[in-house]
Amino acid sequence: MHQVVAVKAKKVPVRERLRRCEQEAEKQQKVEEVAEKLEKECQGLIEFHKSYHELFQFFCNNTTIHGAIRLVCSKRNKMKTAFWSVLFFLTFGLMYWQFGILYRQYFSFPVNLNLNLNSDKLTFPAVTLCTLNPYRYSAVQKELDELDRITHQTLMDLYNYNMSLVQSNWAAQSTRKRSPRSLSHHVQRHPLRRHKRDEPASLKGNSPPVDKSDWKIGFILCNETNEDCFHQTYSSGVDAVREWYSFHYINILARMPNTKALDESNFENFIYACRFNEVPCDKANYTHFHHPIYGNCYTFNDGNSSLWTSSLPGINNGLSLLVRTEQNDYIPLLSTVTGARVMVHEQNEPAFMDDGGFNVRPGMETSISMRKETTMRLGGSYSDCTEDGSDVQVQNLYPSHYTEQVCIRSCFQISMVERCGCAYYFYPLPSGAEYCDYTKQIAWGHCYYKLQVEFKSNILGCFSKCRKPCEVTEYQLSAGHSHWPSSVSEDWVFHMLSRQNKYNITSKRNGVAKVNIFFEEWKYKTNGESPAFTVVTLLSQLGNQWSLWFGSSVLSVVELAELILDFIAITFILSFRWLRSCQLPASAVPTPGAHDNTAFQPEPSGPSAPIGFTVEAVVTTLPSSNSLELHGQDRDAEIGLE
C-alpha cells in the first residue's frame, strides 16, 4: 500500500528565486567550460589524418597548386580523374627533370669571361738577352780541349771529317799536356755510334752500313752493372753530335764548385748601345747570369732598381739595344746558330729561354711590339688554380714567385735527386744535393734519360701536381725585321762603331744586330672570370620552372613539403600500430567479424562453480524536498499570475 506524502510548498520571494536561477546558470556555464577544456585536451597539439585518402583529399581541396583540385572535382568521372592524374604527375616529373638540369649546371660551377680594356701608364716588363755564344771559360779550358780532341777523332771515324781545317786558335792547345782528370775513360763508356735504322744499337764497333740513308746515330747509356742500357738515338747526325757533346759538357761544368768562377762577362763587348725612353742605360739597370747553352745573359729592368714605366707607346719610348753577334770564342759543336736570343717576362719570373725566347738575326733591325694581357681566374670550386703555390705539393726551387713552369721544373729536379742521387745542371740545386757528374755518379746519364721519358709521359705526375696560377700576366709579341744598317749608311755607321766601340771585325754586316722593344698601344687587356650561376640565379631559374609547370609560388612549395611530411608521419604511425598488433598474443587479438559476447556466456560448469551472471545497476537520484518546494511554489506563482 503506497502512501502519498503531500508537501506544502512554502512561499519564496521572487528575489531569492532569481538569485538561485543565476547560480544554476553559473554552474551550467562552468560545466560547459570544463567540457570544452577536456575536449581540447583530448584533441592534442598535433593531429594527423586517419588515412592516405583523407590526406590527399584535404591537400587537393586546399592547395594553391594549379590542377590539384581537378583530381577531387572530377571523382565522379573516372576518365577525367585519370586524365588529370596523368597530367598532374607528368608535369610534376617534367618540372623535377628541369630542376635536375639546373642543379647539375649550378654544381658544374660555370664562369663568365669578362673582358676589360684599360688605359694607363704601363710598367715595362723585364727583358733578357743572351749571346747565343757559349763561352770557352778559362776555368774549364783544359777539359774542353780534351773533349774537343775526342770529338774530332769521333767525327773522323764516323764521317771521315777533319775539323782541323776550320778550327780556330783554341785547336792549337790540343797539343798541350792533357788534364790529369782525363775524359777518355768516361767518353769511352758513352761513345757516339751509328747503326742501321732497323737494328738495335750495338756496343761493339763503328762499322758503317752500306746504305747511308739507313744510318741512325746516337749513344748508349748503361747502369753501373751494364745490365740495363738506354739507347738515345737521332735520325740527324747534327742533333746527335750536339746532344752527345752537350752531355759531356754538362759534366765538365758540374765540377765547378762555384758557378761564379764561370763569370767572364764583358757587357761592353756584347752590348754596344742601350737606351730606354731616350735615356741611356747603366749597370744598375741589368743583371748578368750564365746559361750553359745560350752563354752570357743580361736581364734588363729586373726589379733590383726602380722599374721602368712607359708613358707613351711607340718605338721611341721603349728599349733599344745594339748588340754584337760575332762569335770569336764560341764552341762550334755546342752552338750552331749566330745572333742573339731575347725573351720578355715579368720581373718576378725566371727567364726560361728554351720556352719563350726567340732569336734575333745578325745584320737586321728587329722591332718587337708588345701587348699586355692579364688573366684572372676564379679559384676554389670554379677552377683548379692556385693563388701563390702554397697549396701545391711541390717545393719551389727558384727564387721567384710561383708559375707553372717553375713548378714543373722543380718537380723534375726533385724527382731527379730522389731517383738518381744528384741534380741536373740546368735547374736550381736543392738543399743538400750536388750536380750530376759521371766522375762521381757513373750512371747518372742512364737514370736521367729514362726519367725524361717518364716525365714527358706524365708518369712522374708533375703536370698533374702543378696547377695554373689564378693570375697570369702575358705579353703578346709581334716582330718586324729590316736590314741594318742600310747599304748607303753602313760606312759611316761602322766607322763610328770602330771609333767608339773598337768594332774591327771583317764581316761587318753579320757582326751586329739592333733590337727595339716597345708597347704598341696604351691599352692593355684584362680577362676576368665571374660566376655564371649564383644562388640568386638558381632560385630564379627554379621559380621560373615551378611557375611554368604549376603556376604557383613559394607557399605552394611549402604546401607540398607539408604533404610529404604528413605522408611520412601517417606511414610511421600506421607501421607502428601494425607492429604493436603483431607483438600482442594471439588470444588478445579479436577475430575479424566476431563479437564480444562474454557478458552473455555462462561460466564453465563445475561441481563447485556457481552460476554467474552480470547485473548492471542503474541509480537514479530523486529530487530533494527543497526542489519539490520550489516546483510547488513555481506552480502556485503561475496560478496566481493567471
Side-chain angles (χ1 to χ4, degrees), residues 64 81 88 97 116 132 337 357 375 389 470 518 539:
T64 57
T81 302
F88 182 84
W97 173 62
N116 298 320
L132 279 180
V337 296
T375 301
C470 293
F518 56 93
L539 293 176

Side-chain angles (χ1 to χ4, degrees), residues 496-534:
M496 296 296 294
L497 290 176
S498 63
R499 288 297 184 92
Q500 184 177 358
N501 303 100
K502 298 180 180 181
Y503 182 79
N504 55 2
I505 62 174
T506 304
S507 180
K508 295 181 179 180
R509 181 176 294 277
N510 294 329
V512 290
K514 192 173 183 180
V515 183
N516 301 312
I517 304 174
F518 56 93
F519 280 111
E520 182 177 350
E521 57 184 3
W522 269 348
K523 297 179 181 179
Y524 64 95
K525 187 188 300 184
T526 302
N527 300 319
E529 292 181 348
S530 60
F533 223 94
T534 61

